[in-house]
Amino acid sequence: MIAKTSNITFDVEAVRSEFPVLDRVIYENKPLVYFDSAASSQKPRIVANTVRDYYLNEHANIHRGVHFLSQEATNKYEEARKKVRDFINAAYDEEIIFTSGTTDGINLIAATFDKVHIKKGDEVIVTGMEHHSNLVPWQMMCERSGAVLKFVPVSDEGELILEEYEALLNDKTKLVAVSHVSNTLGTINPVAEMIKSAHGVGAQVLVDGAQSVPHMKIDVRDLDCDYYVFSGHKMYGPTGVGILYGKKELLNELPPYKGGGEMIKTVTLEKSTYNELPHKFEAGTPNIAGGIGLGAAIDFMLREDLTDAAEHENRVLEYCENRLQEEFSDIKIIGQAKEKTGAVSFLLGDIHPYDVGVLLDRLGIAVRTGHHCTQPLMNRFDITGTVRASFGMYNTTQEVDALIEGLKRAEKMLS
Amino acid sequence: MSSINKVQDEIVEEFELFDDWMDRYEHIIEFSKEVPQIEEELKTEANLVKGCQSNVWLAPEMKGEKLFFKADSDAVITRGIVGLLIKILSGHKPEEIAQADLYALDKIGLKEHLSPNRANGLSSMITMMKAYAKATA
């Protein structure tokens, strides 16, 4: 077999040097191996420094302030919004709503969508592989509005069964909510195709991009999605900040989500009129440092050629899957989709994932174990949890080797 | 010294023999084999201490004046720590169990396993053991 040649310019050591935490030695003498980026990525210097500088030198409340610092902070915050817009190729700044994270963005749509688009008996489609945050808000919306929740089933390989999806679509379908990449399986879902089909019956589509934005170039206009949500902290940015992208005309149709300052135009004791986008959905003082820090995270990501970075990450993922299969006769990789990124879930014989996680931890290796907030998916595979190794652009194949050695040791102790 | 603390001190001493953490876990795994097994028919919803990461089943049994526990877990390391807890608390008078100060796991560095954040069922298990003890005291 001819080794795959690559001419990528991606320099993983240079990337790693931006993340001081990766040099940590834990539990006395174990070099940290961080394979939990799907839960939250580590932060590069530029993000930490930007947030620190903001707090130490630049902080004031934004919007409507007449003084220097307020204007400066407002400019920085709004610059970050523009960076996000360009990053996902949205058409307008006001289509970028700052939220506290993916969950918040989904809840915003789930709390408002039914007020204008849903009547009793309408249908909402989600999939069998959603994170609870892209399931529970829709359950709540359906319960409130009398809509019926439908599910796209998942195949044994961990892919959505598209024929079943197509069969679910009809003129009662008002919304489809689907993750772009599964947090548990790493499956990349064919969202562009799914969006096209949904639009064919007049339904809108929300894409949960929490696990895709860190790993691939996203173009919301190309996808033609109606809403796209993601989190800052999974893409090298701060916690507590996220983005809801929505098509302008659709966001304009929705009523405000939270009431308060920022989101109003005029207020009398009896009634208020609401501000325009994006402020209509940004009540209260936002996470200013988080927004600016997210802008810095985008700057960080764009220093790399994102295609090269993705290729590197996928090589690490592939290497990990191959070694798992080579080294362990009773390994079971949960999710064998053709298109994957970011994560591999597995079971080592009948060893409980928690045991594996505890022992790996003591060897300095951070993985996640359990149901990964996807209990229906666990039920689908008739398991209670998995061990999940997930990757960022800073991970290496040498780290995978450490994981494999750790797993061998854990297997020996536990069987 | 109470009999419960005597057992705790013995366990702490045993673990102090191991410098390496993986050896400590080997020892915990040994404990997992000594857990007084709860019968399959007692693995009911009522006896289940559900954790996000692992589950524990626990059943009390009074023999004379003393309270005993039987248990199991789906994870080996959790079962090992269950074994430690049972070795410490089982077979004493309910009022002693209710008042026991569980310091051994802290001393041998297993405290984080008992944190509710771990969601492995152990923290709730201790609460349940103490509740049984209080109810029978």
Side-chain angles (χ1 to χ4, degrees):
Chain A
M1 200 168 133
I2 299 163
K4 196 176 153 198
T5 53
S6 173
N7 55 359
I8 64 168
T9 54
F10 185 78
D11 179 354
V12 69
E13 287 309 322
V15 168
R16 288 179 71 82
S17 70
E18 295 299 320
F19 293 84
V21 71
L22 298 177
D23 292 331
R24 279 193 70 178
V25 173
I26 59 172
Y27 294 133
E28 291 92 43
N29 57 358
K30 305 288 189 294
L32 173 71
V33 172
Y34 189 75
F35 281 153
D36 197 21
S37 293
S40 196
S41 70
Q42 293 300 337
K43 316 303 169 202
R45 279 198 180 83
I46 181 177
V47 169
N49 289 344
T50 300
V51 171
R52 187 197 57 192
D53 290 349
Y54 167 75
Y55 275 127
L56 294 181
N57 299 313
E58 299 159 352
H59 171 71
N61 208 339
I62 56 170
H63 297 144
R64 296 175 313 279
V66 295
H67 60 79
F68 178 86
L69 277 181
S70 175
Q71 287 176 46
E72 190 180 61
T74 303
N75 290 343
K76 292 214 165 195
Y77 193 68
E78 291 306 321
E79 259 171 47
R81 194 190 304 274
K82 282 184 205 302
K83 283 179 191 175
V84 175
R85 184 200 72 188
D86 291 343
F87 189 62
I88 61 171
N89 195 31
Y92 307 100
D93 290 356
E94 59 267 38
E95 294 184 322
I96 304 300
I97 313 293
F98 280 112
T99 64
S100 69
T102 303
T103 300
D104 191 32
I106 295 168
N107 274 280
L108 191 161
I109 300 301
T112 54
F113 187 87
D114 61 310
K115 290 176 183 156
V116 279
H117 295 300
I118 299 269
K119 58 179 191 304
K120 202 166 181 280
D122 281 345
E123 293 176 3
V124 173
I125 298 177
V126 295
T127 86
M129 65 168 75
E130 297 311 311
H131 189 285
H132 296 161
S133 65
N134 198 27
L135 173 61
V136 180
W138 307 117
Q139 290 173 341
M140 290 161 73
M141 184 185 87
C142 287
E143 203 169 303
R144 187 175 62 232
S145 64
V148 183
L149 201 54
K150 301 276 181 176
F151 307 95
V152 186
V154 177
S155 73
D156 290 344
E157 289 73 37
E159 293 175 329
L160 294 177
I161 303 176
L162 287 184
E163 303 79 60
E164 303 262 358
Y165 168 64
E166 298 290 337
L168 286 175
L169 289 168
N170 65 70
D171 58 6
K172 282 188 285 186
T173 311
K174 294 294 178 280
L175 188 89
V176 176
V178 57
S179 52
H180 198 161
V181 171
S182 157
N183 71 306
T184 302
L185 308 175
T187 308
I188 304 174
N189 290 318
V191 289
E193 203 181 321
M194 294 174 76
I195 290 163
K196 212 169 161 204
S197 303
H199 287 169
V201 297
Q204 297 182 27
V205 181
L206 176 139
V207 179
D208 171 354
Q211 302 294 342
S212 48
V213 174
H215 302 293
M216 60 180 79
K217 179 85 190 96
I218 300 301
D219 184 328
V220 289
R221 275 189 280 180
D222 195 37
L223 286 174
D224 198 26
C225 53
D226 301 296
Y227 311 100
Y228 202 95
V229 288
F230 54 99
S231 295
H233 73 99
K234 293 188 202 285
M235 51 177 289
Y236 313 105
T239 53
V241 67
I243 297 296
L244 160 67
Y245 156 82
K247 285 179 180 164
K248 191 160 94 171
E249 64 276 17
L250 298 181
L251 287 177
N252 272 325
E253 284 173 5
L254 297 176
Y257 170 43
K258 293 173 184 163
E262 288 266 338
M263 54 77 71
I264 46 80
K265 197 175 273 170
T266 59
V267 178
T268 65
L269 283 177
E270 292 76 25
K271 189 162 174 56
S272 303
T273 57
Y274 303 124
N275 207 335
E276 285 164 3
L277 289 175
H279 310 294
K280 179 172 96 172
F281 291 115
E282 294 181 350
T285 298
N287 182 353
I288 307 166
I292 294 171
L294 178 58
I298 289 173
D299 289 342
F300 166 77
M301 287 181 77
L302 292 177
R303 279 187 201 166
E304 306 300 328
D305 180 319
L306 288 183
T307 315
D308 287 354
E311 194 178 317
H312 165 79
E313 286 177 26
N314 288 338
R315 257 193 316 157
V316 173
L317 169 63
E318 231 171 87
Y319 180 76
C320 187
E321 290 194 344
N322 289 342
R323 283 220 65 194
L324 285 171
Q325 271 158 337
E326 282 161 17
E327 303 287 345
F328 303 98
S329 55
D330 53 357
I331 191 90
K332 196 171 168 209
I333 292 183
I334 311 295
Q336 313 235 26
K338 277 182 224 80
E339 300 288 331
K340 282 178 75 166
T341 188
V344 54
S345 257
F346 60 90
L347 288 168
L348 205 50
D350 54 7
I351 298 173
H352 198 286
Y354 181 73
D355 291 325
V356 176
V358 167
L359 294 181
L360 287 178
D361 168 58
R362 272 288 160 182
L363 296 169
I365 301 164
V367 294
R368 196 150 285 255
T369 61
H371 54 61
H372 317 294
C373 294
T374 54
Q375 285 184 20
L377 186 64
M378 296 295 101
N379 294 338
R380 159 68 184 80
F381 284 99
D382 203 19
I383 53 180
T384 56
T386 71
V387 182
R388 181 189 69 186
S390 61
F391 309 104
M393 60 168 87
Y394 37 64
N395 288 122
T396 65
T397 52
Q398 290 92 320
E399 289 180 308
V400 172
D401 292 337
L403 170 70
I404 299 294
E405 289 314 305
L407 285 171
K408 281 184 187 169
R409 193 150 174 203
E411 187 187 39
K412 206 168 151 197
M413 284 171 71
L414 292 163
S415 36
Chain B
M1 186 191 290
S2 76
S3 50
I4 286 179
N5 287 358
K6 195 164 165 279
V7 182
Q8 294 204 80
D9 290 345
E10 279 165 17
I11 288 175
V12 171
E13 245 177 74
E14 257 178 63
F15 271 86
E16 275 170 356
L17 295 174
F18 305 108
D19 290 335
D20 187 86
W21 260 96
M22 295 309 262
D23 295 337
R24 287 189 185 193
Y25 276 116
E26 292 270 20
H27 198 55
I28 291 165
I29 292 167
E30 285 305 310
F31 268 100
S32 77
K33 295 163 189 162
E34 291 169 22
V35 179
Q37 276 294 302
I38 183 170
E39 294 82 355
E40 282 303 312
E41 61 268 25
L42 283 177
K43 286 189 177 177
T44 58
E45 199 64 31
N47 288 333
L48 173 65
V49 189
K50 212 168 166 47
C52 194
Q53 292 279 347
S54 60
N55 295 322
V56 173
W57 291 267
L58 177 76
E61 192 180 8
M62 279 300 282
K63 287 182 195 165
E65 285 186 331
K66 288 174 178 172
L67 178 58
F68 290 80
F69 295 100
K70 296 178 285 190
D72 199 4
S73 172
D74 49 359
V76 173
I77 289 170
T78 306
R79 188 159 65 235
I81 298 170
V82 165
L84 278 173
L85 288 169
I86 286 184
K87 188 166 178 184
I88 294 166
L89 288 181
S90 196
H92 301 279
K93 286 185 181 156
E95 49 273 25
E96 286 179 310
I97 297 172
Q99 285 162 19
D101 167 27
L102 284 171
Y103 57 81
L105 279 95
D106 194 355
K107 273 198 167 172
I108 57 184
L110 288 170
K111 194 182 168 190
E112 72 266 27
H113 282 277
L114 303 186
S115 143
N117 288 337
R118 270 282 166 131
N120 54 11
L122 284 170
S123 149
S124 312
M125 176 189 164
I126 295 172
T127 312
M128 261 174 86
M129 289 170 106
K130 292 225 167 190
Y132 281 131
K134 270 186 202 137
T136 37

